[in-house]
Amino acid sequence: MPPTPPNKSHLSLEGLHGTVAVPTQQASPWQHWRAFVGPAILISVGYMDPGNWGTDLAGGAQFKYGLLWVVGLASLMAIFLQVIAARLGVVTGQDLAQCMRDWYPKWSRWPNWVSMEIAIGMTDLAESLGSAVALNLLFHIPMTWAIMITAFDVLLLLGLQGLGMRMIEAVVSVFVLTIGVCYGIEIFGLSQTQPNFVEMGHALLVPSGGRGCAA
């Protein structure tokens, strides 16, 4: 057993522990999968957000498949980081922030907190701008109103937390399913956007400098 930190804090994500029923060991594999697939869907949103869409579209238009190896390598690194974070939570019952607070020197708490807030702000800024640009392009909504609508969406999702984690997972699952259908139509349904899978596979495995012509 790992040593107990000097200031053992409460369980991480109280809302999750209070609203998600964990099946017993005798439950079927399907019941276990259904109980734990929700967090996986929430994590998947990190790869489908508007900021990533904008970056991928711009990179693909300029470099075609030349930067796909970066996407593959980054995804592999993310898998390792997520597995490590999951193991940390299983062993300690805490999230990464709580473990940093309990195990790192006290003087490091404020610098860690400030750096994380800056990183979160920069990430959210990209997503907000991406959502606002999407609303502007699709519905010709002025950017000011598009940003306000995006902010309201965030507050709406925060309000849904009061209905339990399963409600959040259900809403996000609908979004992910919608994106998946759009991907399928774009890749397999439209002749103008059908990719060359041989070139894609080669670009994923063989790093290049990203040189290429516009699509």
Side-chain angles (χ1 to χ4, degrees):
M1 294 293 293
T4 303
N7 297 316
K8 182 71 174 180
S9 59
H10 52 74
L11 286 174
S12 170
L13 301 176
E14 298 87 351
L16 179 64
H17 286 281
T19 60
V20 177
V22 178
T24 63
Q25 294 183 354
Q26 291 75 24
S28 65
W30 166 252
Q31 291 175 316
H32 281 280
W33 179 86
R34 188 176 58 180
F36 296 108
V37 72
I41 295 176
L42 295 179
I43 290 296
S44 71
V45 176
Y47 301 91
M48 304 179 189
D49 54 65
N52 284 354
W53 273 73
T55 302
D56 295 341
L57 289 173
Q62 184 173 358
F63 301 108
K64 201 175 180 181
Y65 303 128
L67 297 178
L68 273 182
W69 69 275
V70 179
V71 177
L73 182 60
S75 300
L76 180 62
M77 294 172 62
I79 291 174
F80 281 111
L81 291 175
Q82 290 166 6
V83 169
I84 292 173
R87 290 180 176 180
L88 178 69
V90 170
V91 172
T92 65
Q94 299 173 297
D95 57 35
L96 182 59
Q98 291 173 330
C99 288
M100 292 173 65
R101 180 191 63 188
D102 291 343
W103 290 93
Y104 281 12
K106 291 184 178 180
W107 63 265
S108 67
R109 295 178 182 176
W110 280 96
N112 287 332
W113 174 69
V114 172
S115 63
M116 291 301 102
E117 290 291 344
I118 293 175
I120 292 171
M122 295 176 65
T123 302
D124 290 344
L125 179 61
E127 317 315 340
S128 299
L129 290 177
S131 299
V133 170
L135 291 173
N136 177 265
L137 293 176
L138 291 173
F139 306 108
H140 305 289
I141 299 176
M143 286 296 296
T144 302
W145 285 101
I147 293 176
M148 295 179 64
I149 294 174
T150 302
F152 175 76
D153 291 342
V154 175
L155 296 176
L156 180 62
L157 286 175
L158 290 175
L160 289 177
Q161 287 184 346
L163 301 178
M165 185 60 66
R166 289 305 190 197
M167 175 60 69
I168 298 293
E169 293 176 356
V171 173
V172 173
S173 298
V174 173
F175 293 157
V176 172
L177 179 61
T178 303
I179 294 174
V181 171
C182 293
Y183 267 133
I185 295 174
E186 183 179 3
I187 294 175
F188 302 105
L190 301 179
S191 58
Q192 299 91 335
T193 56
Q194 287 183 355
N196 188 317
F197 291 101
V198 176
E199 291 186 23
M200 287 178 58
H202 182 268
L204 279 172
L205 300 177
V206 180
S208 66
R211 295 183 298 272
C213 59

